[in-house]
Amino acid sequence: MNLSRFQKGKLAGFLALSVFLLGAAGGALVWAFLKILGMGMGFFWETLPQHLGAGSWYIPFLCLTGGLAMGLFQQKFGILPDTMAEVIAKVKRDGTYDYHRLPAIFTAVLLPLFAGGSLGPEAGLTGIITSLCFAVRDRIRQIVFQVRALVQLGSQPGLAVFFAPSPAGPPAGTPPPIFPDPKQQHRVKVLIYMAGVLGGVLALLLLHSAARPGHGLPQLMWRRWAGLAEWKWMPLFAAGGILLGKLYQLFAKGANALAHPLARNRILSCLTAGAFVSLLGLWNLDNLFSGGGRLLPLTAAWQQLPVTLLFLTAVTKLLTTALCLAFGWKGGSIFPIVYSAVSLGYGLAAVTGAGALFAATATTAAACGYLSRRPLLSAAIMLLCFPIRTLVPMLTAAAAGAWVGRRQCRVKRAE
């Protein structure tokens, strides 16, 4: 293909525009998922119970109905969505991710959340975003192939290529590359990838701002700098977070053993999870949902709550999440663990008299560091809800938790 520099620039721009539009479509789909999630939660847990004049019977009714729906769904489509670790493992093994099941993944993510499961949406979002990324990648390859074929015929591609049906596969005699120079080809690839990411992010932010301006994840405010009065309690807060992480592992192990006999019966397994969730939710509503939306109310009200209730909430929240996951209510565990650790941190602050948010930060960071073994990853996740000025105690506690977690892993391997 003997193309001038100007023609190559036009083709690179066209490819970047096509990928930008694909990325924007993906970003809009993620926004639509979050919008449906928010609307569904509002309908099932606010509008519908108000309309029915629901009493205490409504929680077991919705949890068991949701469990039945999940069991029937899993009988047909399998246990979805994949956890973050499962998504990463499949991508490493197969080099791709099956995006043809995207509608089923959407449904599988929403069902346990609508039913009040103590789960975060992050695991489902990982599967959705990964599916979209590979769908966009494959469509990019198809567009590039079509563009190369048109250029070989002497035609200039238009936007019709973007909307054209996917070819069955590359025919014999694949057209030569548009950009034979490796350096030029690398620059075009970088431009295309950046355009796709930019399109997705812009679409998500614009739609999010237009629909709910100013809305986002809860931000816990740090009203003053921490002094020695707080730092002297750091070992206690870190130990509390590590103990919480260890407790979650024990809950998960016990719940998995309890759920194992029901593994083949998806309906009974999911109904059992619904029964557990409803019982724990009737005792304390904070055992329901991911916990992210309850962080700010907890921060505002913790001083009026009994210390024993804060400690018990930290424990039972973890138990609810472990039971959900073991019995097949798939989802994320990050936000429930954060809520549990924040509740424990406020309880420890009430006992010691230390600054509440310092205690919550250190406890949460230690728990996340212990479970993930990665202090930087733990800090990055926590900064979604905690201010940047908490970074020093956050990294300190996360590093302590990760060190203890890695040391225990080495001891187990040695045994």
Side-chain angles (χ1 to χ4, degrees):
M1 295 181 205
N2 297 318
L3 299 178
S4 67
R5 187 173 180 179
F6 177 71
Q7 288 175 319
K8 288 182 179 179
K10 284 176 63 178
L11 285 173
F14 169 78
L15 291 173
L17 176 61
S18 300
V19 176
F20 177 86
L21 294 173
L22 287 170
L29 198 59
V30 171
W31 173 85
F33 165 78
L34 295 173
K35 186 69 174 176
I36 293 170
L37 174 59
M39 292 173 63
M41 293 294 290
F43 173 77
F44 285 111
W45 290 97
E46 295 176 15
T47 305
L48 188 58
Q50 288 176 3
H51 180 73
L52 296 175
S56 57
W57 60 268
Y58 185 77
I59 291 176
F61 167 75
L62 189 56
C63 291
L64 291 172
T65 302
L68 177 61
M70 274 177 271
L72 292 170
F73 175 87
Q74 290 180 9
Q75 273 193 336
K76 183 173 179 61
F77 297 101
I79 303 177
L80 295 171
D82 292 327
T83 64
M84 195 179 299
E86 289 169 343
V87 171
I88 293 171
K90 286 185 178 181
V91 171
K92 285 183 177 179
R93 184 191 67 207
D94 304 331
T96 186
Y97 193 73
D98 185 9
Y99 51 84
H100 298 97
R101 304 183 75 191
L102 195 54
I105 295 174
F106 260 74
T107 307
V109 176
L110 294 174
L111 282 176
L113 297 176
F114 287 168
S118 180
L119 302 163
E122 66 276 4
L125 275 174
T126 301
I128 290 170
I129 293 172
T130 304
S131 297
L132 291 173
C133 286
F134 281 102
V136 169
R137 183 201 68 173
D138 288 353
R139 183 60 185 147
I140 291 170
R141 289 177 173 175
Q142 291 161 0
I143 290 174
V144 169
F145 175 78
Q146 289 169 315
V147 168
R148 286 162 61 185
L150 287 171
V151 170
Q152 188 183 34
L153 293 172
S155 303
Q156 287 294 316
L159 275 181
V161 173
F162 177 79
F163 299 102
S166 305
T174 301
I178 304 172
F179 306 99
D181 181 13
K183 291 184 178 180
Q184 192 178 47
Q185 192 176 61
H186 176 72
R187 288 195 294 268
V188 172
K189 282 185 178 180
V190 171
L191 173 66
I192 289 174
Y193 291 143
M194 288 179 62
V197 172
L198 181 63
V201 171
L202 280 179
L204 186 59
L205 291 177
L206 288 173
L207 289 168
H208 191 66
S209 299
R212 290 185 293 179
H215 180 80
L217 289 171
Q219 283 289 317
L220 304 182
M221 300 305 296
W222 187 284
R223 293 183 175 82
R224 61 186 178 86
W225 291 104
L228 291 177
E230 277 79 26
W231 276 96
K232 71 180 181 182
W233 294 111
M234 172 61 83
L236 174 64
F237 300 150
I242 293 169
L243 180 61
L244 201 68
K246 182 64 177 176
L247 189 62
Y248 177 70
Q249 290 179 333
L250 293 174
F251 282 156
K253 185 177 180 180
N256 285 327
L258 192 64
H260 181 70
L262 302 177
R264 293 178 180 272
N265 192 326
R266 297 316 311 151
I267 293 177
L268 187 55
S269 181
C270 290
L271 278 172
T272 304
F276 281 127
V277 172
S278 64
L279 289 172
L280 289 162
L282 285 170
W283 177 75
N284 185 351
L285 285 175
D286 286 338
N287 289 324
L288 301 174
F289 318 124
S290 72
R294 293 289 301 162
L295 281 176
L296 290 182
L298 177 64
T299 299
W302 73 270
Q303 291 174 304
Q304 285 74 50
L305 299 175
V307 174
T308 52
L309 180 60
L310 291 170
F311 289 155
L312 282 173
T313 299
V315 173
T316 57
K317 183 73 174 172
L318 291 182
L319 176 61
T320 310
T321 301
L323 288 168
C324 284
L325 293 172
F327 283 89
W329 285 28
K330 298 292 289 290
S333 61
I334 293 174
F335 283 106
I337 290 169
V338 167
Y339 184 86
S340 178
V342 168
S343 182
L344 176 64
Y346 287 153
L348 292 175
V351 171
T352 61
L357 287 176
F358 182 91
T361 300
T363 306
T364 305
C368 293
Y370 175 82
L371 290 169
S372 70
R373 314 290 195 258
R374 296 178 178 86
L376 292 178
L377 175 63
S378 301
I381 292 171
M382 286 183 60
L383 285 174
L384 294 173
C385 300
F386 290 78
I388 189 68
R389 10 184 350 190
T390 64
L391 190 59
V392 174
M394 189 187 296
L395 286 173
T396 303
W403 181 82
V404 172
R406 287 194 292 263
R407 185 175 178 82
Q408 287 187 353
C409 284
R410 287 196 294 269
V411 170
K412 287 181 180 179
R413 284 197 295 266
E415 292 175 349

